[in-house]
């Protein structure tokens, strides 16, 4: 996955999907997470419009997707493990939003992507510990085996946005080794996580967030 220019945004509007895929960017990260208000309608619309896109059946006021068009590579970002999807119950309990989102994507999108030789790719957010990375890897393996997806096909980029996870990057990537192709730092989320983790330690404060750039020593590290 070549990601020199990458866009991010929700997929719950047909014009958004069309505009992102035809923008000329290398990659578009279609978001079920931070860029999308997680209402039931929005979550379902995300999948509906993405399915139309991978089938090349998307028709919008801005244009339509057709066979042979050069499009951005599609990545999807599921919601984090800390969130639940209350509209789907297993044994009377809501399922993890991560499980729900990845399940929807692999059921409705992946078969059409594979038929074109495209890569099912994901952006995995909000991991706080290597055991969570192991869970996501096990989930992807179970999905791959259940859906008969060839080994080595699914790719993931890991978003390191929790300050405590920065001490386990190697372990997180090791657990996701069958799927991981990259790790990325989320600057705003890192600083928010820092405030949350050290809120009771006034000696560990940070300056205003606009001053916490990637040139800051701890962010660069």
């Amino acid at each position: 996955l070549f990601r020199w220019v990458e866009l991010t945004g929700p997929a719950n509007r047909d014009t958004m999907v069309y505009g992102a895929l035809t923008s000329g960017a290398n990659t578009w990260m279609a978001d079920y997470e931070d860029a999308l208000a997680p209402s039931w309608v929005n979550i379902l619309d995300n999948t509906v419009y993405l399915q139309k896109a991978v089938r090349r059946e998307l028709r919008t006021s801005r244009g339509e997707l057709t066979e042979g068009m050069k499009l951005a590579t599609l990545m999807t970002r599921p919601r984090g493990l800390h969130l639940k999807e209350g509209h789907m119950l297993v044994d009377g309990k809501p399922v993890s939003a991560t499980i729900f989102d990845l399940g929807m994507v692999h059921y409705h999108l992946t078969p059409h992507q594979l038929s074109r030789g495209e890569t099912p790719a994901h952006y995995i957010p909000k991991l706080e510990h290597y055991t969570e990375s192991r869970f996501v890897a096990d989930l992807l393996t179970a999905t791959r085996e259940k859906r008969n997806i060839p080994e080595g096909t699914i790719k993931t980029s890991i978003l390191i946005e929790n300050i405590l996870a920065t001490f386990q990057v190697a372990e997180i990537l090791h657990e996701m080794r069958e799927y991981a192709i990259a790790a990325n730092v989320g600057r705003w989320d890192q600083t928010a996580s820092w405030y949350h983790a050290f809120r009771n330690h006034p000696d560990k404060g940070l300056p205003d967030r606009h001053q916490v750039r990637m040139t800051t020593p701890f962010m660069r590290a």
Side-chain angles (χ1 to χ4, degrees):
L1 293 174
F2 180 67
R3 297 163 61 191
W4 189 258
V5 177
E6 181 172 294
L7 293 179
T8 300
N12 63 323
R13 297 289 186 273
D14 57 358
T15 51
M16 170 73 79
V17 175
Y18 176 84
L21 289 174
T22 60
S23 65
N26 304 115
T27 307
W28 175 44
M29 191 267 283
D31 203 5
Y32 284 76
E33 212 228 0
D34 284 352
L36 182 77
S39 68
W40 184 232
V41 171
N42 279 347
I43 293 296
L44 295 184
D45 279 349
N46 248 36
T47 305
V48 167
Y49 290 124
L50 289 176
Q51 184 187 52
K52 289 183 177 181
V54 298
R55 287 180 171 181
R56 304 298 189 266
E57 296 174 353
L58 189 69
R59 309 288 184 265
T60 79
S61 59
R62 298 181 60 184
E64 60 185 60
L65 299 184
T66 58
E67 298 292 345
M69 293 180 70
K70 182 175 176 57
L71 304 177
T73 297
L74 174 65
M75 297 183 75
T76 55
R77 178 164 71 169
R79 287 170 288 172
L81 286 169
H82 63 296
L83 298 175
K84 305 292 184 184
E85 180 46 71
H87 292 86
M88 184 175 183
L89 306 180
V90 175
D91 296 331
K93 298 179 180 179
V95 300
S96 160
T98 304
I99 295 176
F100 182 84
D101 294 345
L102 289 176
M104 290 284 280
V105 166
H106 282 292
Y107 186 85
H108 293 288
L109 274 61
T110 298
H112 306 290
Q113 292 178 297
L114 294 178
S115 70
R116 287 189 168 83
E118 297 173 359
T119 301
H122 307 297
Y123 214 133
I124 305 298
K126 299 295 189 290
L127 296 177
E128 298 185 15
H129 197 268
Y130 75 90
T131 53
E132 295 181 349
S133 183
R134 181 188 303 162
F135 175 83
V136 174
D138 289 344
L139 173 62
L140 291 174
T141 297
T143 301
R144 179 174 57 74
E145 293 173 350
K146 183 72 173 179
R147 301 293 296 163
N148 295 316
I149 301 170
E151 187 174 357
T153 301
I154 301 172
K155 304 298 182 184
T156 65
S157 181
I158 312 300
L159 186 55
I160 303 296
E161 50 191 331
N162 181 277
I163 189 63
L164 302 180
T166 61
F167 298 100
Q168 297 189 357
V169 174
E171 291 83 355
I172 287 170
L173 289 173
H174 177 74
E175 294 294 346
M176 198 79 79
R177 59 193 176 277
E178 182 181 343
Y179 304 100
I181 58 171
N184 182 40
V185 121
R187 178 159 65 110
W188 302 134
D189 296 285
Q190 277 280 346
T191 53
S193 174
W194 179 287
Y195 295 135
H196 179 76
F198 302 118
R199 62 189 182 278
N200 295 324
H201 300 271
D203 59 319
K204 294 181 173 59
L206 292 176
D208 289 344
R209 73 176 191 172
H210 72 273
Q211 296 178 270
V212 184
R213 304 179 182 276
M214 291 307 294
T215 53
T216 304
F218 90 91
M219 289 298 292
R220 187 170 63 247

